[in-house]
Amino acid sequence: MRIAVIGLGYVGLVTAACLARWGHSVSGVEADLGRLQSLRGGSLPFHEPGLSDLVATVTADESLRFHSLDELPTAVQHADVVIVAVGTHDGNGGWQTLTMSRTLDGVVPLLSDRTSLVVRSTLPPAYIASLAGTVGAIRDGAGIGRIPVLLNPEFTREGRALHDFNVPDRVVLGIVDDPDGAGEAVMRTLYGAVDAPVLAMPAVDAAFSKLASNLFLATKISFANELARLCEAYGADVANVVTVMGHDPRIGDQFLQAGIGFGGSCLPHQVSMTVMASQDVGLPAPLLSAVDEINHMQRTLFADRLFRLAGDGADGVHVALLGLAFKPGTDDLRDAPSLTIAADLLARGARVTAYDPMPTARDRAAQLVPGLMVAASAEEAIAGVDAIGLVTEWPEFGQMDWSALRGLPRQAVVLDGRNALIAQALEAAGFVYEGFGRRAPTRPSAPVTAAAIPVHTEPAPFLVADSAPTIGPSASLALAD
Ligand code: UGA
């Protein structure tokens, strides 16, 4: 098939490269000339595991070609499918649909009657509701016939985007305007390559299914974070509790990792935008408001605890943050908890040195947070500090020989913001360890102060000492996902 992908950001570039790998002839169109030049030179504007090699392969055999916006007519003229994947964030936690509208104005009049238009960007429901009318009016205005218009929301995670594209759990098609089913048929053929159910439905349902999936994932994380606080009050260990919960298939074991909460360009933005949009139409959204509030609380809680562990109020407190990206496998700093936490600690008068394995994340963080110092290695970051905070669970932090690092910080104290390190290993290496909702292995359960909360002095029989795997001298990492 001949496919054009408009917009080569995270979503568009992954889509274009994977479709080219599936054997299609793909034209990728990018409006940003700097980004286009980098792509043509073989350099990607962001880090995504495996994508650089894939792009190199599919550009070498010319199954993927890059085009500027000026070359749009060439890119789309013979396309069976044109996929639009332009940005819809305003950079301040809100939606912006201007780029999408401008793109449609430019692309829609160029398409032949046999081309299907597919929108892959995540958009607000009100915009989706008007999409059929918008495209129809552009076609009518140009005096040309209607075309099939569909949504194809993406469910790929940064850091695992190639896997998620190639092995999806489900493919969703939202029918915007497709009277004779030609658009749905071509998309079903396109996704014939994957072993996943293809679910076709009205566009608004498809758009909400994408939104609802992210809102539910965010809700699970905030639930786990509130649960972690309850566990601390009861002296329970949240790792054991969610392990037990996860064995129930009705609950599932993913996205229950407590810590500093969710970041990135999707979950925080979609939760806060849904709350705001609900308020605008007079609908209260108390559950999602709480999800948002808990998520923000986690960042403050982390800064509070790290500051306290470092020696609360002492002059010249110096802390290290391990990890800056919003999650491992990416250099993305969009709504990364690290930035809020670093700014908060600096505002309290702490000195903050951060390290992330991604040099691009280090450079950008230093620009975004005035006063933040970045180090070229984890060892350099923790040298002489009063406390260490783990912010992103990069595997290398779990694989470090913590015993050998024991002498580097001024105080050997680790606050694990991702509950990713093995507490016993850290303590065996001579560190004081604190996680979120975790019982310190060598210290008694925290006393319960609230009179209303019943105190269980004996652990429940089903709770084992610690569900984390036994490890050798170096702590190894239990990854969140
Ligand atoms: C999310 C969804 O997971 C994807 O399915 C969706 O396609 C994508 O948004 C999107 O809308 O484009 P992503 O933003 O890449 O993907 O990141 P997630 O893997 O969802 O992680 C989000 C945040 O939650 C990260 O900061 C992560 O550290 C945090 N998290 C995740 C937790 O705090 N606890 C967990 O148990 C899991």
Side-chain angles (χ1 to χ4, degrees):
M1 246 182 241
R2 275 171 300 209
I3 298 167
V5 178
I6 321 288
L8 299 176
Y10 281 92
V11 174
L13 190 58
V14 168
T15 303
C18 288
L19 289 176
R21 194 75 185 99
W22 288 3
H24 301 291
S25 170
V26 182
S27 298
V29 181
E30 174 56 49
D32 181 326
L33 291 177
R35 173 171 289 206
L36 184 69
Q37 216 163 8
S38 304
L39 286 169
R40 282 180 170 153
S43 148
L44 266 51
F46 54 83
H47 174 76
E48 178 63 38
L51 187 59
S52 190
D53 289 346
L54 178 60
V55 168
T57 306
V58 292
T59 48
D61 68 15
E62 296 200 338
S63 46
L64 173 61
R65 290 166 307 278
F66 296 124
H67 298 274
S68 68
L69 215 47
D70 291 344
E71 297 162 334
L72 189 61
T74 317
V76 302
Q77 68 179 340
H78 298 300
D80 300 293
V81 178
V82 170
I83 299 173
V84 183
V86 296
T88 54
H89 290 186
D90 70 358
N92 279 317
W95 295 109
Q96 68 85 13
T97 52
L98 195 62
T99 312
M100 177 59 73
S101 297
R102 283 189 182 143
T103 304
L104 294 178
D105 284 342
V107 171
V108 170
L110 300 173
L111 304 186
S112 80
D113 291 357
R114 50 166 293 283
T115 303
S116 294
L117 178 70
V118 175
V119 173
R120 197 156 167 79
S121 311
T122 304
L123 285 158
Y127 194 89
I128 301 293
S130 67
L131 196 53
T134 305
V135 177
I138 299 171
R139 298 290 291 182
D140 291 346
I144 45 183
R146 294 288 175 105
I147 47 169
V149 186
L150 293 94
L151 300 186
N152 175 216
E154 55 85 27
F155 295 92
T156 49
R157 290 161 290 182
E158 282 181 36
R160 302 194 55 175
L162 300 192
H163 169 272
D164 290 351
F165 192 94
N166 289 308
V167 193
D169 302 315
R170 72 292 209 195
V171 172
V172 176
L173 301 178
I175 312 299
V176 178
D177 188 14
D178 190 24
D180 62 4
E184 183 181 335
V186 81
M187 291 304 284
R188 282 186 182 275
T189 305
L190 186 66
Y191 281 109
V194 300
D195 182 19
V198 178
L199 309 168
M201 62 194 69
V204 71
D205 300 359
F208 262 108
S209 72
K210 157 72 193 230
L211 194 58
S213 298
N214 279 355
L215 296 177
F216 188 66
L217 292 173
T219 304
K220 282 186 94 174
I221 298 168
S222 281
F223 171 83
N225 283 327
E226 185 159 305
L227 184 69
R229 279 202 281 279
L230 289 170
C231 285
E232 280 173 19
Y234 279 97
D237 193 312
V238 73
N240 285 329
V241 176
V242 298
T243 299
V244 173
M245 290 169 62
H247 279 279
D248 184 335
R250 294 171 302 174
I251 298 172
D253 62 358
Q254 297 197 24
F255 275 66
L256 287 172
Q257 192 84 9
I260 55 176
F262 52 84
S265 66
C266 304
L267 266 49
H269 165 262
Q270 285 166 24
V271 170
S272 58
M273 282 313 298
T274 305
V275 171
M276 274 191 254
S278 304
Q279 283 162 356
D280 286 349
V281 294
L283 277 179
L287 177 63
L288 294 174
S289 299
V291 168
D292 197 27
E293 188 185 335
I294 292 167
N295 199 48
H296 283 104
M297 278 166 64
Q298 294 309 110
R299 299 178 185 193
T300 309
L301 192 63
F302 183 84
D304 285 348
R305 289 174 71 167
L306 195 59
F307 201 72
R308 172 178 54 74
L309 286 168
D312 211 358
D315 268 358
V317 163
H318 188 185
V319 296
L321 299 180
L322 294 183
L324 288 161
F326 85 97
K327 67 173 184 179
T330 177
D331 58 354
D332 196 345
L333 290 178
R334 288 178 290 176
D335 213 336
S338 63
L339 303 181
T340 329
I341 289 164
D344 186 344
L345 289 163
L346 287 161
R348 295 168 196 229
R351 278 184 297 144
V352 185
T353 305
Y355 168 73
D356 190 281
M358 289 280 129
T360 39
R362 299 200 294 267
D363 294 347
R364 255 181 274 142
Q367 286 163 12
L368 290 168
V369 184
L372 175 66
M373 295 176 283
V374 290
S377 67
E379 289 77 6
E380 188 185 322
I382 69 174
V385 300
D386 302 299
I388 300 163
L390 182 95
V391 175
T392 315
E393 67 277 32
W394 284 99
E396 72 170 68
F397 298 140
Q399 288 152 6
M400 296 192 305
D401 183 352
W402 284 89
S403 312
L405 302 176
R406 168 69 186 82
L408 286 179
R410 206 177 65 78
Q411 300 186 106
V413 176
V414 172
L415 176 63
D416 183 355
R418 293 296 182 184
N419 280 0
L421 299 168
I422 308 300
Q424 293 94 327
L426 266 288
E427 295 214 339
F431 284 81
V432 171
Y433 173 90
E434 268 194 29
F436 278 70
R438 301 206 67 183
R439 194 171 37 238
T442 57
R443 284 181 284 158
S445 302
V448 174
T449 48
I453 300 175
V455 181
H456 299 284
T457 46
E458 292 295 320
F462 57 84
L463 289 180
V464 292
D466 197 310
S467 63
T470 317
I471 47 126
S474 308
S476 66
L477 199 71
L479 289 176
D481 182 22

